[in-house]
Amino acid sequence: MSIKRTDALRVAVLASGRGSNLQAVIDAIEAGTVQANIVAVISNKKDAPALERAKQHGLPALFVDPKPYTGRPDSREAYDRALLDVLKQHDVELILLAGYMKIVTRVLVETFMNRMMNIHPSLLPSFPGLEVQKKAIDWGCKLAGCTVHFVTEGVDEGPIILQAAVPILDDDTPNTLAARILEQEHKIYPRAIQLFAEGRLQVDGRRVFIENGKPKGEAVISPS
Ligand code: GAR
């Protein structure tokens, strides 16, 4: 049974780049399809366009500089401890990684177990890591897609919440395929957040069950 919240879910977004997924979440919140408040947008890159997008929407945009921690044997953990302080100051309930190009450590993972999501442009567990659209084309896959999952210590590896599949066309380049996948990312990330906000996600080991979320039994065949 999910319990209806009376207050909006407090979300922080961690982003290193362009921030189109951040934008999709902002748009969904502004349109009222996601009941959440973005209480902080945090970047490890000072010039990240994602920070600019946050400012344009009046959201707190914070650059947390990794430099003071580099060179230390525990540099990644130390950086995450600094992030954790910021997240606690903002009373964050859910973290969204949205093009956040830093590997998170157990410092964040343990505190935000099943409360930190990532979006990745492949049908995981195929193609974790980088340049995944090129890898899907080079493998000769007929379907590619994207995945929203909870974050564990392994890169692109936690329990899967939602996936969307798209066809790979004969003349696709990594860029054209990335664009087709990105359109779906912008749909499934807000949807996953709203499911979380409604308390409808139950994690059991590697599996995430969605309350009243039975998929329809249609197969996706490509080429059809
Ligand atoms: C998105 O395609 C996202 O799936 C990917 O980075 C891009 C960020 O775009 N994330 C990963 O590859 C994580 N492993 P955005 O900054 O426009 O949201």
Side-chain angles (χ1 to χ4, degrees), residues 17-22 98-99 101 118-121 129 133 156 182 185:
R18 143 188 89 172
S20 73
N21 276 290
L22 164 68
M101 292 310 179
N118 180 41
I119 184 133
H120 180 74
Q133 298 89 348
D156 300 324
L182 196 63
E185 294 186 36

Side-chain angles (χ1 to χ4, degrees), residues 30-51:
E30 289 182 353
T33 50
V34 169
Q35 270 89 50
N37 279 334
I38 297 177
V39 295
V41 175
I42 305 172
S43 187
N44 59 322
K45 301 276 181 202
K46 197 173 184 181
D47 304 326
L51 289 179

Side-chain angles (χ1 to χ4, degrees), residues 3 100 140 155 177:
I3 297 161
Y100 182 62
V155 174
L177 178 58

Side-chain angles (χ1 to χ4, degrees), residues 6-211:
T6 49
D7 53 337
L9 178 73
R10 298 177 66 81
V11 173
V13 180
L14 270 52
S16 306
R18 143 188 89 172
S20 73
N21 276 290
L22 164 68
Q23 189 67 55
V25 176
I26 293 172
D27 292 347
I29 291 172
E30 289 182 353
T33 50
V34 169
Q35 270 89 50
N37 279 334
I38 297 177
V39 295
V41 175
I42 305 172
S43 187
N44 59 322
K45 301 276 181 202
K46 197 173 184 181
D47 304 326
L51 289 179
E52 208 38 57
R53 288 186 197 260
K55 285 181 205 154
Q56 278 165 16
H57 289 265
L59 302 172
L62 309 165
F63 164 56
V64 179
D65 193 351
K67 230 187 246 142
Y69 312 99
T70 48
R72 295 167 48 161
D74 67 337
S75 63
R76 284 172 43 214
E77 287 80 3
Y79 183 76
D80 279 359
R81 275 192 287 277
L83 282 187
L84 198 53
D85 284 345
V86 175
L87 295 163
K88 283 185 175 159
Q89 281 160 24
H90 289 81
D91 243 335
V92 169
E93 297 173 281
L94 175 70
I95 302 175
L96 305 175
L97 307 185
Y100 182 62
M101 292 310 179
K102 230 171 149 12
I103 295 170
V104 295
T105 67
R106 64 167 55 176
V107 172
L108 282 188
V109 171
E110 281 173 4
T111 310
F112 282 90
M113 181 62 72
N114 298 335
R115 295 194 297 133
M116 175 159 45
M117 293 179 183
N118 180 41
I119 184 133
H120 180 74
S122 79
L123 291 172
L124 289 172
S126 292
F127 311 123
L130 299 172
E131 296 187 13
V132 297
Q133 298 89 348
K134 179 175 185 319
K135 286 176 188 160
I137 293 171
D138 290 350
W139 258 100
C141 297
K142 298 298 184 195
L143 288 168
C146 49
T147 304
V148 180
H149 64 93
F150 284 118
V151 176
T152 53
E153 272 189 77
V155 174
D156 300 324
E157 185 178 280
I160 291 170
I161 302 166
L162 289 178
Q163 293 186 303
V166 300
I168 296 181
L169 309 181
D170 287 350
D171 58 355
D172 259 334
T173 64
N175 283 343
T176 58
L177 178 58
R180 191 172 316 113
I181 293 171
L182 196 63
E183 256 180 63
Q184 300 305 315
E185 294 186 36
H186 296 165
K187 290 183 188 160
I188 65 170
Y189 217 179
R191 198 173 294 180
I193 300 160
Q194 181 58 17
L195 288 169
F196 184 97
E198 291 173 6
R200 290 172 60 194
L201 300 179
Q202 252 137 44
V203 185
D204 182 5
R206 283 218 54 90
R207 301 188 70 188
V208 179
F209 293 94
I210 300 175
E211 196 182 275

